[in-house]
Amino acid sequence: MSYLDLLFPKRCAFCRRRSKEPLCDNCQEKLPWVETQGQDCLAVFHYRDSVRQMLHRYKYMGSMGYSGVLGKLMADCVRQNAPEAGPQLVVWVPSSSLRLRKRGYDQSHRLAMVVANTLDLPLQRALVKTQHTVSQTRLKDQYERAVNVAGAFRATCSLEGRSVLLVDDIYTTGATMRECKALLEKAGAHNLVCVAAARK
């Protein structure tokens, strides 16, 4: 054991118990893994219990280190469930400039960087969020969420003929993913696959 291990012992990303691996054996067994994938969006976990707590720490409390373990799990999920041809390019659902200044980082961008690196794919900024919107978590109605993000994003480049992987942190009703997916397809993307760390 190194001095660094003594000073900064490794811990499970979810339960925070000491563990040599990013996920301890107990969490590997008990975490709410998504076993049956939906066609609209792939996801690693169901959004509840310790997964919800961990994503809250990652998204709102500056725990940026979680992007490493989450991004690698998302990449594994894509490998196992994406079409055989697979994506050629990774893009992400961006934060607004106001939220980026307030939070200091774009959580989906950090996940996308790990996913792209793990899958050995190029990463490209293909979307920008042009309007600051109310957090989707504050809106319970599916219609309200769709209206909230309508027109809030803009495609920034042509994706003609490219097979694209779209990355986000949490999939709830799918309003944000659908809005971004429509823009990417209008920009020429095809065989578009969406993936999130967790879904409700």
Side-chain angles (χ1 to χ4, degrees):
M1 180 180 291
S2 69
Y3 288 116
L4 284 177
D5 289 333
L6 290 171
L7 292 171
F8 306 103
K10 294 179 181 179
R11 296 183 182 276
C12 173
F14 292 86
C15 69
R16 308 306 296 152
R17 295 190 182 97
R18 290 192 180 188
S19 172
K20 293 180 180 180
E21 302 298 328
L23 298 182
C24 68
D25 291 341
N26 185 58
C27 285
Q28 283 275 13
E29 182 180 346
K30 294 186 177 180
L31 282 171
W33 301 92
V34 172
E35 295 182 0
T36 304
Q37 295 292 342
Q39 295 181 347
D40 47 354
C41 182
L42 303 175
V44 180
F45 299 111
H46 293 289
Y47 185 63
R48 61 174 186 256
D49 307 328
S50 57
V51 170
R52 182 173 183 170
Q53 295 165 13
M54 190 266 260
L55 280 167
H56 185 86
R57 291 193 297 269
Y58 172 57
K59 192 169 182 176
Y60 301 110
M61 300 174 67
S63 298
M64 293 181 282
Y66 288 126
S67 60
V69 63
L70 286 172
K72 288 176 182 176
L73 290 170
M74 292 166 73
D76 287 342
C77 181
V78 172
R79 282 196 188 106
Q80 294 168 17
N81 297 284
E84 285 187 19
Q88 301 169 319
L89 180 71
V90 178
V91 304
W92 69 95
V93 176
S95 297
S96 67
S97 57
L98 180 61
R99 187 154 287 132
L100 184 58
R101 287 196 300 272
K102 183 177 180 180
R103 191 171 292 160
Y105 60 99
D106 182 329
Q107 74 280 356
S108 293
H109 181 211
R110 291 184 66 88
L111 291 173
M113 286 192 291
V114 178
V115 170
N117 184 62
T118 305
L119 296 176
D120 195 23
L121 293 173
L123 178 69
Q124 184 167 335
R125 182 183 296 277
L127 296 166
V128 293
K129 192 168 187 182
T130 57
Q131 299 175 27
H132 180 70
T133 57
V134 175
S135 173
Q136 293 285 75
T137 57
R138 297 182 184 178
L139 305 174
K140 295 183 179 179
D141 182 81
Q142 188 168 350
Y143 174 76
E144 287 183 347
R145 291 188 179 205
V147 170
N148 188 46
V149 295
F153 298 90
R154 176 174 58 84
T156 61
C157 59
S158 171
L159 296 168
E160 195 64 41
R162 307 295 297 276
S163 179
V164 173
L165 175 64
L166 175 62
V167 172
D168 202 5
D169 57 346
I170 304 166
Y171 181 95
T172 49
T173 63
T176 301
M177 281 285 200
R178 283 191 294 272
E179 181 74 11
C180 292
K181 185 177 179 179
L183 288 170
L184 294 172
E185 289 177 339
K186 190 174 180 180
H190 71 104
N191 296 334
L192 205 151
V193 176
C194 303
V195 65
R199 66 180 301 153
K200 288 190 176 181

